[in-house]
Amino acid sequence: MMCGLEIHVQLETQSKLFCDCPTNYQDAPINTNICPVCLNQPGAKPHPTNEKALENALMIALMLNCEIDQGVTYFMRKHYDYPDLPSGYQRTSVPIGINGELNGIRIREIHVEEDPGQFKPDRGTVNFNRSGIPLVEIVTEPDIKSPEEARNFLKELIRVLQYSGAARGEGTMRADVNISINGGNRVEMKNINSIKGAYKSLNFELIRQKNLVKRGVEVKQETRAYLESQMITVGMRMKEDADDYRFITDPDLPPMQISDEAIQKVLDIMPEAPHNKVKRFVEEYGIDEESAKVLTSELDLAIAYEEVVKEVDSKFAAKWMRDELKRVLSYNKLDFADSGITDKDLVEYLKMIESKEITAKAAHKIIEQMPNNDKSPKEIAEELGLLGVVNEDEVLAAVKQAIEENPKAVDDYLAGQKASLNFLVGQVMRITRGKADPGETVKLLRENIE
């Protein structure tokens, strides 16, 4: 299988690419964020290109390790006839970045273009609020060899875009997926709007094409639509080539040039890319790559980790933040940035575990209460009665009490039912109000039963 992607994501700007209309198209009533320019009314000419859009596209290109084309940058008209495009053409720039790379997948080019409106064929209506919003298009080489690799690449790409702050992420993503097998004709699937959709459409199309080849039927070069509700692809039209779009240079927009100063300005404000941060975390903090990937899955989480390790052992912090913190965030469907947990909270929490002020079991309960809680970890521990660890004599007394009170569980354990030991551990935890060390409890139970 050979697969290449063309990923369109909206750039983060306040105004559209060639006019001053706002870009909050989802919040505005239908057909209100519009003007003669983005509706291409007779006599209306585009404003100079939105500088913030170009700056954001440049940042994305640099974060994807692209070479920046410092020759003449200009916009072309890409002609096609569709109700969401009032001009009959879409303005798209020549490449800004070329020859990039992410996760071993080559990036052929990155360019800027304007978003069309939103056409609803079932109702025959068009909402032009979105028309003219700046997009970045990221085009890969056909280096992707499986649906899984495509999914992993898109996840990493969205992470880069989120780190950059320059684009609006998966929520505005639309991907055109190109696939061929055994050197055959290329099929394009249009406007897939999620990572899951790209993965499922590739799975279906791979099977469809293999079945055609097995029957001796040639795979047609065509454009297909992915029907997410049915998880199938259906034919739309024969695939266009570049000539079909009749590209011409847009005479209404002046050419531009990306200067060394413009590149340096972006480099000065550009955050470290997540794939580079993973490598640095492994080298600098001595943690494994999988932990580094989890800790850099969100920029705010990565920043918090780097603050925490100023006061807590890096490997110890990585283990608890990777496992327990992410478990709680996932359960509550929260990003770290929305959790209300600060790096100071994490330092206090981890230091309580390190100093054995609380047991591991108590730590699990405490962190579950930390999201969007005004109380500190220590205050939560005090409120739950989890502060303090009982000494060995107290644990031993609790072990003996649990054995005396539960003779059937003891007999079951001796008869080979090992799960009964877990029940007895629970009883010891009840007696000690969760302050006994689980490992020490298991050891003492075995010694006193066996």
Side-chain angles (χ1 to χ4, degrees), residues 171-411:
T172 68
M173 183 191 87
R174 297 193 299 281
D176 298 340
V177 180
N178 296 280
I179 175 177
S180 65
I181 61 171
N182 303 330
N185 285 325
R186 174 169 58 97
V187 172
E188 181 180 44
M189 293 172 287
K190 297 287 285 185
N191 291 334
I192 296 167
N193 58 15
S194 69
I195 294 172
K196 185 194 295 184
Y199 172 72
K200 289 185 175 179
S201 66
L202 275 171
N203 266 324
F204 176 85
E205 189 61 21
L206 186 59
I207 293 169
R208 187 188 74 86
Q209 291 190 27
K210 283 181 176 178
N211 287 338
L212 287 174
V213 172
K214 281 179 185 176
R215 299 200 306 268
V217 178
E218 183 184 23
V219 176
K220 292 187 295 185
Q221 179 171 317
E222 63 176 333
T223 296
R224 297 178 69 83
Y226 173 61
L227 305 182
E228 192 157 5
S229 60
Q230 300 175 51
M231 293 189 290
I232 62 171
T233 66
V234 295
M236 292 172 62
R237 57 185 180 269
M238 299 307 292
K239 179 75 182 82
E240 301 93 338
D241 290 317
D243 291 345
D244 296 325
Y245 290 122
R246 305 183 310 284
F247 283 99
I248 63 168
T249 303
D250 194 310
D252 293 330
L253 291 165
M256 303 165 289
Q257 198 160 21
I258 298 173
S259 65
D260 291 335
E261 291 77 13
I263 294 173
Q264 191 57 51
K265 177 186 174 183
V266 172
L267 288 171
D268 289 343
I269 61 173
M270 187 174 79
E272 183 181 26
H275 44 284
N276 294 332
K277 199 180 286 289
V278 168
K279 293 174 187 173
R280 182 170 64 80
F281 275 24
V282 171
E283 293 169 4
E284 190 171 329
Y285 300 121
I287 61 177
D288 62 273
E289 186 176 346
E290 189 56 39
S291 293
K293 284 181 177 178
V294 173
L295 293 168
T296 58
S297 59
E298 302 173 48
L299 180 57
D300 291 284
L301 180 61
I303 292 170
Y305 175 73
E306 296 214 76
E307 290 300 315
V308 167
V309 297
K310 291 176 181 177
E311 300 185 54
V312 179
D313 176 76
S314 60
K315 291 182 180 177
F316 182 79
K319 176 183 179 299
W320 281 88
M321 290 177 69
R322 177 198 69 199
D323 296 339
E324 284 304 297
L325 177 59
K326 286 295 285 186
R327 173 182 70 85
V328 171
L329 293 176
S330 177
Y331 178 80
N332 288 284
K333 295 181 172 59
L334 287 172
D335 291 332
F336 179 76
D338 303 319
S339 69
I341 300 173
T342 66
D343 55 273
K344 291 181 180 178
D345 290 333
L346 290 169
V347 168
E348 180 177 285
Y349 170 72
L350 293 170
K351 282 188 171 181
M352 285 197 297
I353 303 170
E354 273 190 318
S355 63
K356 299 194 183 300
E357 284 185 76
I358 56 174
T359 64
K361 189 177 181 67
H364 299 327
K365 294 180 179 178
I366 292 165
I367 200 168
E368 288 170 358
Q369 302 299 315
M370 285 171 61
N372 295 313
N373 193 327
D374 293 334
K375 296 184 175 66
S376 70
K378 185 163 281 191
E379 288 171 337
I380 293 171
E382 288 172 346
E383 189 177 81
L384 297 175
L386 297 173
L387 207 56
V389 179
V390 297
N391 60 39
E392 188 173 332
D393 289 341
E394 290 175 288
V395 177
L396 180 58
V399 164
K400 289 180 177 178
Q401 181 181 338
I403 290 172
E404 288 175 11
E405 292 177 353
N406 300 280
K408 186 175 185 310
V410 173
D411 291 341

